[in-house]
Structures are given as C-alpha cells and as structure tokens.
Amino acid sequence: MRILFLEDNTQNAEIYGAHLRKAGYAIDHVVTIDDAATALRSSSYDVLLLDRQVPDGDSRVWLSQLRKDGLTTPALFMTVRDAVEDRIEGLDAGADDYVTKPVASAELEARLRAILRRPQDLLPQELSCGDLSLDPTNRQASVSGHLFKLSKRELMLLEHLMRREGNVVTKEALNDGLYGYGEEVTPNTIEVCISRLRKRLDATGSNAKIHTIRGVGYLIRERIIN
C-alpha cells in the first residue's frame, strides 16, 4: 500500500514514517499542500494521511476540493486540532477518519488498515492463482493451505502481481507501488526482489509461476501441466 503523508513536523514524520515503512507501507512524505498536490498528480495512492495545519494552509480545504473534483482515495487527518468542531469539519470535508496527535503508532496503523478495507469491499478478500493463495488483510501466503514465510516487501510484490493475475505488471508500476520517495532504489532492485520471491515459491512446489516479459515487466499465472 502506498501512502501520501503530509506532515510539516520533521520529528513526527520520521517517527510515524519509520513505523509505517516497517509495517510494509510505501511512504511519500511531503511538507506542503502544494507538494502534496504535485505528488497526487504524478502518482497513485491508496490513502492520504494528512496533518491539517501546514505551512501553506489548512489541508481540510484542499481535501474538500479534491472530493468535489471526484477523488475517492481514502483520507485520514492526524492533527493536534482536537476540538469537536475541528473533527466535524474534517469529516465533513471528506475525511474517512480523524485522529488527534499524539497517537500511538500501532493505533495509527490499525486506523489505516480499517479505512483501507472500506474501498476494497468489492474486491476479493483472498487472492488466488493456482494452488497459491494470499490474504492481503492478514498478510499471509499459502500453497494448498500450507502457510509459508515471506518478507513484507515480498508480500507487497506478490499482492501487486496477483491482483493482475495473467496480466503484465510493468517494472515502473512495481517500483511505484513498493517504494516511496527518498527510498534508495537501484536499477535492479525489482529484479532482486522478484528473484527471491521466485525461489520461495519454487521451494513450496507451487504451480503459480512468475514470468519475465523482457523489457516490460512481470506476470504471475498458473502453470498448466498437460
């Protein structure tokens, strides 16, 4: 999951950003509404995590305009403004949740999980490809019902591929989905992660195979044995 994180307090950005990255999210941190708008025009996000009062204004006004423009991306306000009127304003502006700082990192993560589930109601809660299954909510992968261990990054990569089963996912799309701004990504980062994921799948004997489409990207599909 990719999060656009608008926060002008450097310490808060580092603390919450580090926790969410460790939990497996890709974080793009920005300081101003203008930077957030630029990021939103160039990338796709699963959720907006917004401080309200930032150097160039109140992000409530910006979110309200985004909703009028048709943006449906879930949004959560995380702010020191804790009056009942502030919370009402934020929710009426289009936020899916509103939490006041300071908030425990674990609670913030739980709130994000909760709002991320809402727009996915029409999507399958468990993904499958042949004998391979993936539960995105509980972050568990299994082959023929037997769980096997994957790193957070490998689980993210597998989810991206399985949501497009049988279709090519470009390297650019995988980079965008797995890594946030500022994270060090070398030209062969995705190749290395794909290689590790392939080895783990092969070790399970799964009939789900990851194929390389040279110069384009990767796809996953069931191997049919005649």
Side-chain angles (χ1 to χ4, degrees):
M1 295 295 180
R2 191 178 183 90
I3 298 175
L4 179 59
F5 184 16
L6 173 61
E7 171 61 75
D8 67 327
N9 183 296
T10 303
Q11 185 176 17
N12 282 339
E14 290 177 351
I15 291 172
Y16 292 116
H19 178 89
L20 293 173
R21 288 187 181 95
K22 186 176 180 181
Y25 297 94
I27 308 295
D28 287 352
H29 170 234
V30 293
V31 175
T32 67
I33 294 170
D34 187 56
D35 288 342
T38 299
L40 197 56
R41 285 193 295 268
S42 60
S43 299
S44 177
Y45 294 94
D46 297 288
V47 65
L48 310 179
L49 177 58
L50 308 173
D51 186 12
R52 276 196 57 176
Q53 203 62 47
V54 290
D56 56 346
D58 185 345
S59 63
R60 177 189 64 84
V61 178
W62 177 58
L63 178 62
S64 179
Q65 186 58 55
L66 291 175
R67 293 303 190 221
K68 290 177 183 177
D69 293 341
L71 184 77
T72 59
T73 303
L76 185 155
F77 279 122
M78 182 175 66
T79 173
V80 296
R81 300 178 63 166
D82 61 353
V84 172
E85 293 80 7
D86 291 324
R87 295 198 292 272
I88 293 172
E89 285 179 354
L91 293 169
D92 283 347
D96 297 82
D97 198 357
Y98 192 109
V99 61
T100 56
K101 293 185 284 191
V103 58
S105 295
E107 180 185 347
L108 175 62
E109 184 189 348
R111 286 177 178 268
L112 287 169
R113 285 199 303 269
I115 65 173
L116 282 166
R117 283 196 294 268
R118 295 172 195 169
Q120 296 177 353
D121 287 343
L122 298 179
L123 295 175
Q125 293 302 301
E126 184 173 277
L127 305 173
S128 63
C129 175
D131 57 7
L132 173 65
S133 297
L134 176 65
D135 181 343
T137 302
N138 295 312
R139 299 184 182 181
Q140 293 180 332
S142 62
V143 171
S144 299
H146 300 288
L147 296 176
F148 67 102
K149 189 174 179 59
L150 293 174
S151 70
K152 290 184 177 70
R153 193 78 74 183
E154 289 162 354
L155 280 166
M156 292 168 66
L157 177 58
L158 183 60
E159 181 178 350
H160 274 275
L161 294 173
M162 291 183 70
R163 287 201 182 280
R164 295 279 295 162
E165 180 193 0
N167 295 283
V168 178
V169 184
T170 66
K171 289 177 61 177
E172 292 76 12
L174 291 174
N175 270 322
D176 286 346
L178 269 65
Y179 299 97
Y181 292 158
E183 290 191 79
E184 187 175 346
V185 182
T186 63
N188 68 336
T189 297
I190 290 296
E191 286 91 335
V192 171
C193 197
I194 285 283
S195 177
R196 288 200 303 262
L197 180 57
R198 271 201 184 110
K199 289 178 181 178
R200 295 189 189 280
L201 283 177
D202 289 344
T204 68
S206 174
N207 61 14
K209 300 297 177 183
I210 298 172
H211 300 267
T212 299
I213 309 302
R214 295 195 179 278
V216 182
Y218 305 91
L219 66 82
I220 190 170
R221 65 186 173 202
E222 180 182 2
R223 182 179 64 181
I224 305 299
I225 301 175
N226 294 322

